[in-house]
Amino acid sequence: MSTTAENMYIATTRTPCLTINETSFENSTVKPCIPGPTVDEAKLIVQTILMYMVPVLLALIMIGIGCSVEISKLKQHFKNPTGILTGLVCQFIIMPILAYMWASIFSMEEPETLSLLIVGSCPGGTYSNIVSYWIDADMALSTTMTTVSIFASLGMLPLLLYIYSLAFSTVSTRVPFDGLGISIALSIGPLAIGIAMRYKWKKFAIVAAKVLAVIGLVVMVIALALFIYAFIDIWKFQLGLVIAAMFYPICGFILGYAISSIVSTIAKPLRLSHRHRRTVAVETGIQNGQIALSIVQLAGWSFQITGRTILFPMMYSIAQVIISLLLIVIYHVIYCIRYGKRVELQKGGEIMKDKSDTNTKETVSKDNKTFEMEE
C-alpha cells in the first residue's frame, strides 16, 4: 500500500485493522474495523442527551413551582400588586440593562453577549422561593412573583432579546427565537399543570412539589456535570465572565431591595414591608437558569457556539447558589446579633419568641403554606 493511501486511511479512522495475506505480504490489506466513538463523537452524543434532558428538567421544575402556588394567594397579592409590579420592573427592565452593561464594559464577543442577555431577560425560578423561605421573606409573594414573571416572559423575553440584539452587528440574526418559543412553552404549560394540581389535589401537590424539587436538583447536578464534560475543551478563561457571574446576582439583590424601598417612600398605599422588600430583592437577583440553558440547547447553533454561549448560564447558576448561601448566613448572623431572638416553627405559622420575654409576637403570616408541615 502506498504511503499516500496509508496516510489517507489513517486520517479517516483511528482504529485501522491489518489483514495479513500469509502467501504474499505485499497483498496484505488494511481495512477499517467497526470503530468506537471518538472523543468528539462522544461529546456530540452527550450534547444530544442534554438537548432532551434540559427541557425535561425545566418541565419538572415548572410543575413543582405550580404545585406550590395557591389561587387564593394569587388573588390576595393582585389586590395590592405593588410587590408584583416592582418585581416585574426589576426583572424585565433593570436586570436586562445590567446584563447589557456587563457585556459592554468587558467588550464581550457575540456568543458571550447573547448568553448574558438571555440570562438577564429570564424570569424568576424555583430557587428564589427556597432562598425566600430561609431569609424569612414572604413565601406567598415569592411564589406569586415567580408565577407572574414566567407568564410575563411569554412576551417580554422575545421582545427584550430582539431589542438588545439590535445594538450588535449580527447578533439579531442569531437570536434563537425557535428555541425561545419551545422553552417558554415548556415553562408555562407545566406551570399551569402544577397550579391545576394544587387546586384539585392539594395534599398530593404539596408532596409532589417536594419530590420534584429533589429530583430537579439531582438532574440539574447531573446536567451540569455533562455540560462540563461536553464543552470543557471549548471554554476559555474570561475574567469578565467570571466577574459578571459572581456580581450579577449580588447587584440584583441590592437593586431589588433599593428600588422596592424607593417605591415604598412614594406613597403610603405603595409601602412594602421589609419582608416584602427582601422578597423582591431575592426574586430580582435569582433568574431562571434552567430556562436560559434550555434556550441555548434548543437554539440549533454549532457545537462550538453552543459551548461558548452556554458557559455563562452555567457559571451564573453556580454563582447564584454560592451567593445565596452567603446571603442566608449573613442574614441569620445579623438577625441573631441584632435581636437575640429565635424563630420557632409551629403548625399554622411561624412564631418569634424573644429570649428575654415570655410574650410571643407573631411576625410571619400564617398563610405561608408552601412548605407546610403535616402531622
Side-chain angles (χ1 to χ4, degrees), residues 1-2 17-31:
M1 186 170 61
S2 66
C17 293
L18 176 65
T19 302
I20 299 177
N21 189 321
E22 296 180 355
T23 58
S24 175
F25 184 77
E26 293 180 355
N27 294 328
S28 299
T29 58
V30 178
K31 59 182 180 180

Side-chain angles (χ1 to χ4, degrees), residues 227-253:
F227 276 125
I228 294 173
Y229 168 76
F231 299 111
I232 191 169
D233 294 335
I234 298 175
W235 294 339
K236 295 180 181 180
F237 177 79
Q238 298 184 45
L239 181 61
L241 277 181
V242 175
I243 294 175
M246 292 302 297
F247 283 92
Y248 195 67
I250 295 175
C251 292
F253 292 147

Side-chain angles (χ1 to χ4, degrees), residues 44-55 226 297:
L44 288 174
I45 292 173
V46 171
Q47 187 190 20
T48 303
I49 294 173
L50 287 169
M51 190 173 296
Y52 293 98
M53 178 184 290
V54 173
L226 291 176
Q297 274 297 108

Side-chain angles (χ1 to χ4, degrees), residues 63 71 87 141 143 155 157 185 218 291 358:
I63 292 176
I71 301 297
L141 177 60
T143 53
L157 220 168
V218 173
I291 291 181
T358 58

Side-chain angles (χ1 to χ4, degrees), residues 246-279:
M246 292 302 297
F247 283 92
Y248 195 67
I250 295 175
C251 292
F253 292 147
I254 295 173
L255 291 173
Y257 194 90
I259 292 174
S260 58
S261 298
I262 294 172
V263 170
S264 298
T265 62
I266 296 175
K268 189 174 181 179
L270 300 178
R271 187 180 184 279
L272 295 170
S273 68
H274 289 286
R275 287 185 63 235
H276 291 162
R277 297 177 200 178
R278 290 199 299 270
T279 306

Side-chain angles (χ1 to χ4, degrees), residues 38 47 85 97 102 114-115 118 123 155 159 226 235-236 250 271 273 293 323 331-332 366:
T38 63
Q47 187 190 20
L85 295 177
I97 292 176
W102 280 117
L114 189 55
S115 67
I118 290 174
L159 177 63
L226 291 176
W235 294 339
K236 295 180 181 180
I250 295 175
R271 187 180 184 279
S273 68
L293 290 172
I323 300 301
Y331 170 78
H332 283 281
K366 288 185 177 181

